[in-house]
């Protein structure tokens, strides 16, 4: 594992000058997951290789005990660093894996005081812009490359987005 | 499985390895692109050598005027400048600027609420750094040119007037400029007349108004899909600095012939300690207009019709607008999809869409309007973030709904 970490650090070190040339104002949105991954989370989820066996998830992930996970063969990891997903800071990102293969990503968003628009409206608009799809009748189901993106309102204005491969969507209950 | 890098011990050997690797990379980069000293600061012949020209980055630029960066920061006068930039007109290197100290680069972006603390904590240290940097650069210039230089006042308006020191450096002319607590830079010019002027072309002041209008109007191009674009606006990257307002100004004004850099405007506006707090950016806009022998008229609204008239006359429009990263995502992703499929259109602004626009609580940001598509109801704008942020699109209703100042240049 030390070798993996060292290799990842070397990759980061090599690419560091490129990041500093990024001119995103105030580095807003250019923090957390995007740096080790070299791309936004949703772009990473859209990559075919993300869903293949033995994928290396970039960034910091930690074991996570999901009370909703009833299947002992499914391991849940939580992203332990900030991530903007669909342009909005996520409060929690988890990955569910079985046999070293990602089954699903679950992203939870909570409304912040600085946001004027309803969180679900903002996410719907942004996912529509990302995928180029309207989201169907309920504006909550999108397809992008070979993934499904499902959007669901939670309690207290929170929103849960699940991302899974189109062929074998697995939903944990 | 656990991939938490922060909690995994890389090991002492790993860290040493990383450090050595980074140092080695920097050495390789410097060795691959050694800045030819002192020849490049004396001999314009070097400036025309293909290898020298090819080393500047980015290699390609869509605009006639381009700021390119030397891939490393060589040691010059015993110092390492923040940046060595080449000012290209067409593919010809016109001048080289050594930016030894810039307040915005030194401090990075500092939010307004932290500005006073940043000043309090750093003022004395930064003043001392400015003093020693200015002394070292001047000593280096005197040694390089074997002269003390001579003073010159450039510019007409008090805000943008520069008290500079001029040096003859071989076949080049060097211009030293310093503002306490802000800036130390030296620019080397091929052309002595240009070195002594704030105009890109000193003869610009003599061009008749109607000829200038004709020249500028010719810069507007219509493309197949109905886009009308000003394609020759240079792009100056603001970096992690509170410089969007002054970068937008320098991009527009260099296109209009005023040869001042982003850092010059930042210094004139007093953007200090990394923050725009207490700065006079609006006043600097007015001064820049006067320096370029035009007016930058200001409105608290964005008027699509008025902006179209200005653009059709070859005049870029600057907007100050409310900005939120959540909404910027729509413009970024649309630009990416549009590049793949130019047939796609932005959805018309309905109530839901309007609810996602940034409001008064949002950040302030400056953009340059570089075109429009009347048929599609789109404003085309460019950000000072890099070529990837050139010619983005926004429905005109959104621009009207989020802009709080528009600056229209008028001849």
């Amino acid at each position: 594992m030390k070798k993996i970490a060292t290799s990842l650090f070397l990759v980061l070190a090599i690419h560091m000058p490129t990041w500093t040339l990024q001119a995103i104002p105030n580095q807003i949105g250019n923090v957390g997951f995007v740096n080790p991954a070299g791309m936004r989370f949703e772009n990473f989820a859209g990559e075919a290789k993300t869903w293949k066996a033995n994928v290396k998830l970039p960034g910091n992930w930690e074991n996570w005990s999901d009370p909703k996970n009833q299947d002992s063969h499914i391991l849940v990891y939580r992203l332990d660093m900030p991530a903007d997903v669909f342009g909005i800071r996520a409060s929690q990102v988890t990955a569910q894996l079985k046999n070293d293969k990602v089954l699903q990503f679950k992203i939870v968003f909570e409304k912040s005081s600085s946001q004027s628009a309803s969180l679900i409206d903002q996410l719907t608009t942004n996912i529509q812009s990302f995928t180029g799809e309207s989201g169907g009748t309920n504006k909550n189901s999108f397809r992008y490359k070979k993934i499904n993106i499902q959007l669901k309102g939670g309690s207290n204005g929170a929103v849960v987005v699940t991302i899974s491969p189109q062929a074998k969507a697995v939903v944990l209950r | 499985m656990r991939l938490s890098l922060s909690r995994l011990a890389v090991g002492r050997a790993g860290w040493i390895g990383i450090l050595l690797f980074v140092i080695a990379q920097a050495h390789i980069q410097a060795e691959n692109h050694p800045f030819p000293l002192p020849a490049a600061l004396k001999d314009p012949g070097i400036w025309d050598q293909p290898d020298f020209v090819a080393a500047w980055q980015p290699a390609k630029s869509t605009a006639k005027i381009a700021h390119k960066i030397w891939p490393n920061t060589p040691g010059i006068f015993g110092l390492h400048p923040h940046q060595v930039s080449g000012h290209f007109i067409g593919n010809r290197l016109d001048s080289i600027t050594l930016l030894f100290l810039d307040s915005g680069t030194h401090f990075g972006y500092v939010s307004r609420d932290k500005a006073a603390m940043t000043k309090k904590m750093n003022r004395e240290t930064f003043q001392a750094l400015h003093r020693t940097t200015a002394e070292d650069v001047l000593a280096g210039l005197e040694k390089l040119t074997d002269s003390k230089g001579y003073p010159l006042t450039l510019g007409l308006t008090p805000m943008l007037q520069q008290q500079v020191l001029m040096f003859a450096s071989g076949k080049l002319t060097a211009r030293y400029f310093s503002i306490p607590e802000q800036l130390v830079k030296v620019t080397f010019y091929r052309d002595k007349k240009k070195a002594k002027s704030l105009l890109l072309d000193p003869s610009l002041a003599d061009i008749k108004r109607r000829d200038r209008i004709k020249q500028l109007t010719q810069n507007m191009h219509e493309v197949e899909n109905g886009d009308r674009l000003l394609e020759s606006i240079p792009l100056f990257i603001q970096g992690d600095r509170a410089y969007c307002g002054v970068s937008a100004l320098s991009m527009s004004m260099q296109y209009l012939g005023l040869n001042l850099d982003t850092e010059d405007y930042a210094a004139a506006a007093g953007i200090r300690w990394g923050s725009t707090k207490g700065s006079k950016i609006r006043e600097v806009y007015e001064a820049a207009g006067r320096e370029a022998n035009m007016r930058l008229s200001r409105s608290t609204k964005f008027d699509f019709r008025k902006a179209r008239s200005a653009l059709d006359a070859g005049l870029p429009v600057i907007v100050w607008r409310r900005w939120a990263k959540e909404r910027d995502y729509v413009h970024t992703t649309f630009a990416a999809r549009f590049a793949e499929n130019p047939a796609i259109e932005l959805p018309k602004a309905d109530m839901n869409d309007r609810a996602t626009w940034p409001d008064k609580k949002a950040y302030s940001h400056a953009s340059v309007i570089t075109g429009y598509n009347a048929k599609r109801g789109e404003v085309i704008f460019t950000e000072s973030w890099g070529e990837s942020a050139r010619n983005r699109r926004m429905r005109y209703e959104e621009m009207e709904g989020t802009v709080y100042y528009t600056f229209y240049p008028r001849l």
Side-chain angles (χ1 to χ4, degrees), chain A residues 4 6 16 43 75 83 94 117 124 137-138 142 158:
Chain A
I4 295 169
T6 307
M16 207 169 282
N43 291 108
L75 301 173
T94 51
T124 305
T137 320
N138 297 324
F142 305 84

Side-chain angles (χ1 to χ4, degrees), chain B residues 131-148:
Chain B
R131 195 167 48 246
T132 55
T133 304
E135 284 169 4
D136 289 350
V137 171
L138 267 179
L141 263 175
E142 287 172 4
K143 195 176 168 192
L144 178 78
T145 63
D146 196 23
S147 76
K148 292 277 179 192

Side-chain angles (χ1 to χ4, degrees), chain B residues 35-92:
Chain B
F35 191 77
L37 285 169
L41 305 182
K42 283 178 164 284
D43 178 11
I46 303 272
W47 293 18
D48 297 321
Q49 288 179 0
D51 285 355
F52 185 70
V53 172
W56 300 85
Q57 298 295 322
K60 285 183 182 172
S61 168
T62 54
K64 188 183 168 195
I65 298 171
H67 268 193
K68 299 186 179 188
I69 309 297
W70 190 258
N72 55 60
T73 50
I76 302 175
F77 308 148
L79 301 163
H80 282 275
H82 288 314
Q83 178 179 289
V84 176
S85 62
H87 189 257
F88 285 77
I89 299 179
N91 289 320
R92 190 171 192 249

Side-chain angles (χ1 to χ4, degrees), chain B residues 17-302:
Chain B
I18 292 162
L19 191 65
L20 290 174
F21 188 84
V22 171
I23 292 168
Q25 283 290 307
H27 270 289
I28 290 165
Q29 206 179 32
E31 278 173 18
N32 285 345
H33 300 286
F35 191 77
L37 285 169
L41 305 182
K42 283 178 164 284
D43 178 11
I46 303 272
W47 293 18
D48 297 321
Q49 288 179 0
D51 285 355
F52 185 70
V53 172
W56 300 85
Q57 298 295 322
K60 285 183 182 172
S61 168
T62 54
K64 188 183 168 195
I65 298 171
H67 268 193
K68 299 186 179 188
I69 309 297
W70 190 258
N72 55 60
T73 50
I76 302 175
F77 308 148
L79 301 163
H80 282 275
H82 288 314
Q83 178 179 289
V84 176
S85 62
H87 189 257
F88 285 77
I89 299 179
N91 289 320
R92 190 171 192 249
L93 182 57
D94 199 52
S95 62
I96 293 176
T97 295
L98 314 176
L99 183 66
F100 284 100
L101 191 63
D102 166 56
S103 171
T105 311
H106 181 85
F107 289 101
Y109 174 82
V110 174
S111 59
R112 285 175 162 239
D113 58 321
K114 289 179 182 149
M117 180 57 80
T118 307
K119 179 180 175 181
K120 193 178 167 190
M121 303 282 285
N122 298 284
R123 186 170 196 168
E124 279 183 24
T125 320
F126 191 66
Q127 280 175 336
L129 177 65
H130 182 278
R131 195 167 48 246
T132 55
T133 304
E135 284 169 4
D136 289 350
V137 171
L138 267 179
L141 263 175
E142 287 172 4
K143 195 176 168 192
L144 178 78
T145 63
D146 196 23
S147 76
K148 292 277 179 192
Y150 60 94
L152 191 67
T153 301
L154 303 177
L156 310 166
T157 60
M159 277 202 97
L160 291 173
Q161 217 164 51
Q162 298 189 350
Q163 312 296 329
V164 300
L165 277 175
M166 307 295 294
F167 295 84
S169 180
K171 290 178 182 171
L172 299 171
T173 305
R175 188 165 94 193
Y176 165 88
F177 181 49
S178 163
I179 294 186
E181 295 186 347
Q182 294 268 194
L183 183 67
V184 179
K185 67 177 228 182
V186 184
T187 305
F188 292 79
Y189 295 85
R190 281 178 191 268
D191 186 321
K192 198 173 177 181
K193 273 188 190 169
K194 280 190 182 182
K196 291 182 172 183
S197 171
L198 293 187
L199 298 176
L200 266 179
D201 178 358
S203 67
L204 189 72
D206 305 323
I207 297 176
K208 285 182 183 164
R209 185 173 172 270
R210 68 160 186 262
D211 292 335
R212 185 120 189 258
I213 290 171
K214 205 174 162 185
Q215 274 179 1
L216 288 167
T217 306
Q218 286 170 352
N219 292 334
M220 193 56 168
H221 298 290
E222 182 156 337
V223 293
E224 269 177 31
N225 69 348
D227 282 359
R228 287 183 62 75
L229 284 170
L230 284 177
E231 288 167 333
S232 40
I233 306 290
L235 207 145
F236 305 148
I237 296 175
Q238 72 174 88
D240 183 30
R241 305 180 292 184
Y243 282 2
C244 60
V246 286
S247 292
L249 181 65
S250 61
M251 285 159 59
S252 300
M253 295 312 293
Q254 285 238 353
Y255 159 81
L256 292 167
L258 186 60
N259 194 9
L260 285 169
D261 293 329
T262 300
E263 294 80 15
D264 295 320
Y265 291 117
I271 304 177
R272 295 177 188 197
W273 324 110
S275 169
T276 54
K277 193 175 183 185
S279 63
K280 295 184 173 173
I281 306 177
R282 253 178 18 193
E283 290 83 344
V284 159
Y285 271 52
E286 287 163 15
R290 288 198 296 278
E291 287 287 350
N293 198 21
M294 56 173 52
R295 274 186 63 217
L296 272 181
S297 75
R298 188 174 79 236
S299 164
T300 52
K301 287 180 179 171
F302 176 77

